[in-house]
Amino acid sequence: MFDYATASLGRRAQTVAELKRKLRTRVEAGETGEQKIAAVVAKLKSYKFLNDAAFATDYTRLRQENDKLGRRRVQQGLMQKGVHPEVVASTLDTAYETVDEEQLARAYIERKRMTQPKDKQEAARTMRRLIAAGFTPPTVFKVLRKWIPEEELLGDVSDSGMP
């Protein structure tokens, strides 16, 4: 089972929770299987092959630099991967303390080659995409207000019940 775990980690970096999920399919159910998994995880941690804090740091850096995603989206990804909430919070605080979210949102727009909205529906679609990318609504409104000078276009969108 140790060989399977190291091969799995060799293919892709994983969190402790992800690796445990994979290992559970290879052992018998119950306490005996859980003890085997715990032993493998402890051995991998002692060899420094498995480290959730390092994983969270690398994941955050890559998602921020390459994908240009906002803090909330990166947080969701880390939580889905089973990283402990305290590790997630400290990693994100460190990674996003000097980041200008508005500038990151503009980089996301450029990376995705989003075009300037021409009407209310396109502005709403752009707003939803930016919020889904992890940017806060105030940041999204700032970006859209600077991008679209017509105040009435955004006024109608912000009254439509968007978060």
Side-chain angles (χ1 to χ4, degrees):
M1 183 167 27
F2 181 77
D3 293 337
Y4 172 78
T6 54
S8 180
L9 286 171
R11 286 187 293 276
R12 184 180 68 82
Q14 299 170 48
T15 63
V16 172
E18 288 177 310
L19 187 62
K20 282 183 177 181
R21 266 185 244 129
K22 283 186 176 181
L23 293 177
R24 281 193 185 100
T25 64
R26 317 255 302 144
V27 297
E28 63 273 7
E31 191 173 318
T32 307
E34 290 298 321
Q35 288 174 349
K36 289 179 182 178
I37 291 171
V40 169
V41 167
K43 193 172 185 181
L44 289 169
K45 282 183 175 182
S46 72
Y47 289 148
K48 298 191 182 350
F49 290 163
L50 196 58
N51 182 343
D52 277 0
F55 175 87
T57 302
D58 290 341
Y59 180 88
T60 301
R61 181 181 51 79
L62 291 172
R63 299 289 279 184
Q64 182 184 33
E65 291 174 3
N66 296 342
D67 298 334
K68 311 293 187 215
L69 295 178
R71 180 185 174 112
R72 289 181 24 223
R73 177 74 179 272
V74 176
Q75 179 183 11
Q76 289 172 345
L78 288 170
M79 297 299 281
Q80 286 175 344
K81 292 189 175 294
V83 179
H84 194 274
E86 290 175 8
V87 174
V88 171
S90 66
T91 302
L92 292 176
D93 287 344
T94 302
Y96 282 89
E97 69 184 352
T98 60
V99 172
D100 179 11
E101 192 176 33
E102 188 176 336
Q103 188 175 15
L104 189 62
R106 290 183 191 291
Y108 177 82
I109 288 170
E110 185 177 317
R111 182 182 183 282
K112 293 295 183 177
R113 296 186 177 118
M114 296 168 66
T115 59
Q116 185 173 357
K118 294 171 182 50
D119 58 16
K120 290 186 286 189
Q121 289 158 334
E122 286 185 22
R125 184 178 305 121
T126 301
M127 184 183 309
R128 285 190 300 271
R129 281 186 70 182
L130 289 171
I131 289 173
F135 300 105
T136 61
T139 301
V140 172
F141 282 120
K142 280 184 200 173
V143 169
L144 287 177
R145 280 202 175 95
K146 289 180 182 174
W147 201 9
I148 308 167
E150 301 96 36
E151 287 291 342
E152 66 276 355
L153 184 64
L154 283 177
D156 293 342
V157 172
S158 63
D159 295 336
S160 66
M162 288 296 300

